[in-house]
Amino acid sequence: MVHVRRISLAVGVAATLSILGAPTAAAHADREVVLPDGTGSVPEYRTADEAADVLLVCGAGQADFERRIADFPPDLRRRNLELFADCQDRGFGTLQEAVDAVTQPGTNIYLLPGEYLEQSSRPEPTGECAELDRPWYDGGHYRYQILEFDDQIACPTNQNLVAILGIRDLQIEGTGAGPDDVVLDAGYTKLNALRADRADGIYLKNFTAQRTTFNAIYIIETQGFVIDQMVGRWNDEYGFLTFAVDHGLYTDCEAYG
């Protein structure tokens, strides 16, 4: 089941529930999905001390970063400065690089304040990824191929700015004072800003995803997820779309534009 609590919505939230037994949703087409068997659970928030591994992402330069955190409460500002210094030594410049570096369940990824454009994910597909022989769905103002999971693995940036594929118990959290301090921006180059596919236990917290040709956040074929203090805005369709999922929680989220 999908639990919903304290959601502030203008437009653009859709939850397609496994209990409905429906493989498709209105204004949406995807591969033939395997519905969850109901044995999962809603993941719990995890501190850095409780994580199996911690990865840091810091896309902003130091001057931009310091400008963004200048008005934070002192303790939060101090924490972000410490994380930024640590990130210079062992962190990543993009969220996708950090996702690709995950090696074990129970990993926490911390997104430091900044705007994440994920430039390496934006170009049009090339080579075999540009020649996939898959059916097309025409939704009127958007058109896209219906890709299998193996296609997503082989060509993760065909449709997604950030792709989380088959990774379990991953937590991604913005370290700002609110969701607006960390922005994942697709620039209308991709269907999804973030796709979590067969990503049981995914926990997304305290950042904004925006400007896609379909969904800001798309979670599919996943048992157990939380979308917590998130903003999905300025998308051609949904702020949040969760499809063929179970044991999910939306809490303190906004979708608009």
Side-chain angles (χ1 to χ4, degrees), residues 173-228:
E173 180 178 357
T175 65
D180 287 348
D181 294 318
V182 177
V183 178
L184 183 64
D185 188 346
Y188 299 108
T189 62
K190 299 295 174 181
L191 283 176
N192 311 297
L194 185 149
R195 179 189 186 102
D197 195 333
R198 298 185 183 175
D200 293 357
I202 185 78
Y203 198 118
L204 305 175
K205 182 178 177 66
N206 197 37
F207 64 94
T208 294
Q210 66 183 32
R211 300 204 306 162
T212 70
T213 60
F214 211 101
N215 314 294
I217 302 295
Y218 185 22
I219 301 178
I220 178 174
E221 257 190 70
T222 291
Q223 290 218 64
F225 71 86
V226 174
I227 303 173
D228 181 7

Side-chain angles (χ1 to χ4, degrees), residues 72-250:
F72 283 9
D75 287 347
L76 183 61
R77 185 174 181 276
R78 188 179 307 110
R79 175 177 181 252
N80 272 278
L81 285 169
E82 292 171 353
L83 290 174
F84 187 82
D86 195 6
C87 191
Q88 302 310 295
D89 294 331
R90 64 180 188 90
F92 300 89
T94 71
L95 177 54
Q96 188 64 64
E97 289 175 321
V99 169
D100 292 343
V102 172
T103 59
Q104 55 189 318
T107 295
N108 284 15
I109 295 176
Y110 291 104
L111 284 169
L112 275 65
E115 184 177 54
Y116 294 89
L117 304 180
E118 305 286 310
Q119 294 286 8
S120 60
S121 297
R122 290 189 174 212
E124 291 291 324
T126 59
E128 293 183 359
C129 289
E131 304 296 332
L132 294 176
D133 183 18
R134 294 291 183 263
W136 288 82
Y137 175 72
D138 191 342
H141 62 285
Y142 51 81
R143 185 171 181 265
Y144 60 89
Q145 278 188 296
I146 300 175
L147 302 183
E148 299 298 323
F149 181 76
D150 288 345
D151 299 326
Q152 297 287 351
I153 292 287
C155 305
T157 63
N158 271 29
Q159 299 178 340
N160 314 297
L161 194 69
V162 173
I164 300 166
L165 307 171
I167 299 175
R168 292 190 299 108
D169 296 327
L170 178 63
Q171 181 172 302
I172 301 175
E173 180 178 357
T175 65
D180 287 348
D181 294 318
V182 177
V183 178
L184 183 64
D185 188 346
Y188 299 108
T189 62
K190 299 295 174 181
L191 283 176
N192 311 297
L194 185 149
R195 179 189 186 102
D197 195 333
R198 298 185 183 175
D200 293 357
I202 185 78
Y203 198 118
L204 305 175
K205 182 178 177 66
N206 197 37
F207 64 94
T208 294
Q210 66 183 32
R211 300 204 306 162
T212 70
T213 60
F214 211 101
N215 314 294
I217 302 295
Y218 185 22
I219 301 178
I220 178 174
E221 257 190 70
T222 291
Q223 290 218 64
F225 71 86
V226 174
I227 303 173
D228 181 7
Q229 296 177 317
M230 294 285 293
V231 173
R233 65 188 181 192
W234 307 331
N235 304 284
D236 284 350
E237 285 295 327
Y238 299 112
F240 309 103
L241 176 61
T242 54
F243 180 65
V245 296
D246 207 346
H247 295 92
L249 171 67
Y250 292 65

